[in-house]
Structures are given as structure tokens and as C-alpha cells.
Amino acid sequence: MSISNYHIGLSENEPIFAGNENTDSIPIKINRLKEVIKSYSYNNVLLPTKIKDWINNIQEYDFVAAWSFRPERLNPMFNANIPPAYRDYMSSIDLSPIDKNEVLLEKGYFIGPSQFFKTLLTRHPANLPSINEKDIENWKNDIARLIRKNIDKPSDLFLNMMALTSYKMQIDSLRPLSEKQLCNIKNGLTSELASIILNLNNELNAKLSKTTKSFNLLNEEFSIIDFIKANPTDGPVFVDLWNTWCGPCLQETKERATINLKEEYPELTFINICDQSSNVDDWKKRSLDVQGISIIINAESMGKLMEEFGIDAFPTHLIFDKEGKLLKTSVGYMSNQEFHDFISNCLK
């Protein structure tokens, strides 16, 4: 990709690039727009009325984050190095069009401000420290000093977002906030901002209190039939083959959360299986959202399983009787109603 005569837009109404763009850059922008619309749709949230301004601002975040801290990603895209004069551009990013919850909760997946703050915290050459149990105001002062070359006078909202993102990164790593951190948050942030991170922490604690069984079998040979026979049940076994990178799989997990499977189908045992194409840490985190047994297996075992039952896609759902005999298979995304119908037809 080659872009000449470019400059960075300095208002939310101006695109990142102005000048001669080749057609390769157009699909990138279209794909980002698709991701925004898709993520809003998944969360049943209406698109903002100023979608154009919002999209531009989102892209500005991404561009600045990548340029400032991961230049190797951008160098192939340009026919010249980024002018150092733009190093203070981050201070002009407009936070106002973006709801604080949205910034923190990543409705846009890996795009936009959430990724920007994570990149700033993890990739800045000054090695910015995590907030841990440090007093929020003192930590914000340290951060402001360390990023002064990039942002001379960061706003209080900007620094608060940095603090919230640091706390959220800890929660995302499945480490609940300590009593000291909870006290710092209540004393150092407004009730509105504090409620965002406290709610996330409460959700994590609730998930960790679940009795979900997880098995990391990456270093073992796995057979679903052998597993069923080695773990006898009183009724049929529902198996969900999924992966953490599979959008329809994650949407299913979100929808199933509205059903208490143990109460709805007490006679069934639920087993969720993904393979090593999923990041192990991400699997551990996602396992807190699934109901029943969660297993991660190696690629060879998954390949044998898929070949044995004629499977070629994720998600795939299988129901076995308690002896390990396959009763029914369904490939592809399954809504809650389709899920109910699938199970009902098998249990007749």
C-alpha cells in the first residue's frame, strides 16, 4: 500500500488521510465499519446518530496507537516515515463522542479507543506501570509525567480512562481486585466511573464462584467416546465444538447465558470442547462463560474427532446417549429456540 501527500485529520469531521489514496485502503475502512456495525448488532445497541464522526474518531485512535508504539505495522503502508511533528497528535483525540462504558467494554472488539489505551499501557517505550494497588491520583501523576513527550497535558478524563483500562486488564487476566484496590477506586474515582470497573469485578467474582469443570488436555490424546465412558452420566451428553476465535460460537455462548441449563435440562450433561487454535488464556477466560464441562484439546485430537463424526465447521453440536452412541448432529450457529428444538427432538 502506498499513500502520498497524507496528513492526519485534526477534527472528528476530517478523515485520517487526505491526499491520494490507492484503492487498497478502501477495503480497510469498509471492514472497520463492518466490525463496528456487527458489534453493535451483537449487543442490540443502536448505532450513534453521528456515525461518520464516530468512525473517524475510532480510526484516529487506532492509527495513533499503531504509529506511536508499533511502527513496524505501519511502515509498509507508507512511502515515507511519519513526521515527528505529529507526535503530539494524541492530545487532540476527542473522547466526548464515545460513551465511557463503550470505551472500556470493547463493543468494537479490537478496534478503537479500548485498544488504544491498552496499547498505550503495554507498548509505550517508557514502560508504563500497571496501577496495581497504587493510589489513583499518584499513579495518574506518574503516567502524565511518563507520557509527556506524546501528550503534554493529558486531560483528567484521559488519565481516568488509563486507570480504568489498567484495572480492566487485571480483571481480564482473571485476577479480581484486592480490598486495597476497591478502596482506592471508591475514594479516587467518581461514582459513575467507579461503578464501571466495580461491576466488571463483581461479574468476574460471580463467574469464578461457578463450579464449571475445566480440563486442559493439550498434552494428551483425547476421544469423546472414551471421555464419556470414563465419566458416567445418568442421561444423554450434549457436546459443543467451538473455538474462541469463532464469532458464531461466542454469540451462542452469550445467548445460552440467558438459560440455566442445569435447571432446564437436569438430565443432560453439557461438554464444551475447543482446540489449540484458541489461545489458552482466552479459553480459560471464556470457560467462565460456558455452562458445563470445558475442555481444550490438541489439533490432532480435534482432527480425529471431526473426521470420526464427519464434522467440517464450528460450531458443531452433538448429542450422545450415556453409553457414547451418537444420537444427532447439528452444524452451524444455533439460536436458543433452535437449541431447545434440537434437544427436544433428541429426547422424545
Side-chain angles (χ1 to χ4, degrees):
M1 180 182 297
S2 174
I3 302 176
S4 59
N5 300 323
Y6 61 86
H7 71 273
I8 304 172
L10 296 180
S11 78
E12 63 183 21
N13 293 312
E14 186 176 3
I16 297 172
F17 306 119
N20 298 321
E21 295 183 291
N22 68 14
T23 55
D24 288 342
S25 65
I26 304 303
I28 295 175
K29 294 184 177 181
I30 293 175
N31 284 335
R32 290 189 182 278
L33 176 58
K34 287 179 179 177
E35 286 296 315
V36 171
I37 294 174
K38 181 171 67 175
S39 59
Y40 264 79
S41 175
Y42 280 172
N43 287 279
N44 295 318
V45 178
L46 293 176
L47 286 167
T49 54
K50 294 184 177 181
I51 186 63
K52 177 183 175 182
D53 296 344
W54 189 83
I55 296 278
N56 285 340
N57 203 44
I58 288 283
Q59 292 200 2
E60 288 170 357
Y61 271 100
D62 254 4
F63 181 81
V64 173
W67 158 54
S68 297
F69 312 116
R70 298 298 294 276
E72 70 277 8
R73 291 185 176 181
L74 289 181
N75 285 343
M77 297 173 61
F78 299 95
N79 58 9
N81 293 323
I82 306 296
Y86 286 121
R87 189 166 289 278
D88 64 349
Y89 171 67
M90 285 184 289
S91 60
S92 72
I93 293 176
D94 184 9
L95 293 173
S96 62
I98 305 174
D99 175 76
K100 286 183 282 294
N101 280 278
E102 184 174 322
V103 169
L104 199 64
L105 301 183
E106 298 187 70
K107 288 179 182 174
Y109 289 106
F110 300 109
I111 62 174
S114 178
Q115 184 69 4
F116 167 75
F117 287 115
K118 286 182 181 178
T119 303
L120 188 59
L121 282 167
T122 58
R123 299 290 182 180
H124 195 282
N127 295 319
L128 305 184
S130 299
I131 195 165
N132 295 322
E133 294 190 339
K134 189 158 188 175
D135 174 81
I136 292 177
E137 204 59 37
N138 290 338
W139 183 83
K140 285 161 57 176
N141 289 336
D142 289 344
I143 294 297
R145 174 178 54 82
L146 291 169
I147 65 174
R148 188 171 298 150
K149 287 184 178 179
N150 302 109
I151 308 174
D152 185 31
K153 295 179 181 179
S155 69
D156 196 51
L157 175 58
F158 187 98
L159 293 171
N160 281 336
M161 286 302 160
M162 293 279 285
L164 290 175
T165 302
S166 187
Y167 284 128
K168 184 175 183 291
M169 289 169 65
Q170 175 181 325
I171 293 172
D172 284 345
S173 67
L174 307 184
R175 294 182 294 122
L177 301 175
S178 68
E179 290 299 322
K180 173 66 173 175
Q181 288 176 310
L182 294 174
C183 182
N184 288 343
I185 290 169
K186 292 174 182 176
N187 294 331
L189 295 173
T190 65
S191 58
E192 179 187 17
L193 293 177
S195 66
I196 297 173
I197 204 67
L198 294 177
N199 287 339
L200 290 175
N201 191 59
N202 290 338
E203 290 175 7
L204 174 60
N205 282 321
K207 290 176 180 178
L208 292 175
S209 67
K210 289 170 51 180
T211 57
T212 300
K213 294 182 180 179
S214 297
F215 298 91
N216 183 333
L217 304 180
L218 288 172
N219 297 321
E220 302 177 29
E221 187 174 329
F222 175 83
S223 163
I224 185 60
I225 303 300
D226 291 344
F227 187 87
I228 292 174
K229 291 180 178 179
N231 298 271
T233 64
D234 295 328
V237 177
F238 182 99
V239 176
D240 183 356
L241 302 182
W242 68 294
N243 269 299
T244 61
W245 45 260
C246 168
C249 302
L250 300 184
Q251 180 63 13
E252 280 191 348
T253 299
K254 180 180 177 181
E255 293 187 20
R256 296 298 181 270
T258 63
I259 308 171
N260 188 320
L261 298 181
K262 191 173 182 179
E263 291 183 1
E264 190 83 15
Y265 301 104
E267 70 276 36
L268 284 178
T269 297
F270 292 89
I271 301 177
N272 307 273
I273 304 174
C274 70
D275 63 35
Q276 68 186 80
S277 64
S278 294
N279 177 274
V280 175
D281 289 335
D282 198 17
W283 166 74
K284 290 178 181 177
K285 179 182 175 183
R286 301 283 184 184
S287 290
L288 298 177
D289 296 322
V290 303
Q291 300 180 62
I293 299 170
S294 183
I295 303 173
I296 186 168
I297 62 178
N298 57 49
E300 183 179 357
S301 293
M302 180 62 84
K304 290 180 179 178
L305 191 158
M306 297 181 77
E307 182 179 358
E308 181 178 3
F309 298 106
I311 300 166
D312 60 2
F314 297 101
T316 288
H317 317 87
L318 310 98
I319 291 188
F320 298 85
D321 66 17
K322 62 182 182 181
E323 305 298 331
K325 178 184 177 182
L326 180 63
L327 300 177
K328 195 174 182 65
T329 302
S330 174
V331 179
Y333 167 79
M334 186 183 285
S335 68
N336 279 350
Q337 185 58 56
E338 291 168 331
F339 172 76
H340 285 304
D341 294 342
F342 179 72
I343 293 177
S344 297
N345 291 334
C346 288
L347 300 183
K348 286 181 178 178

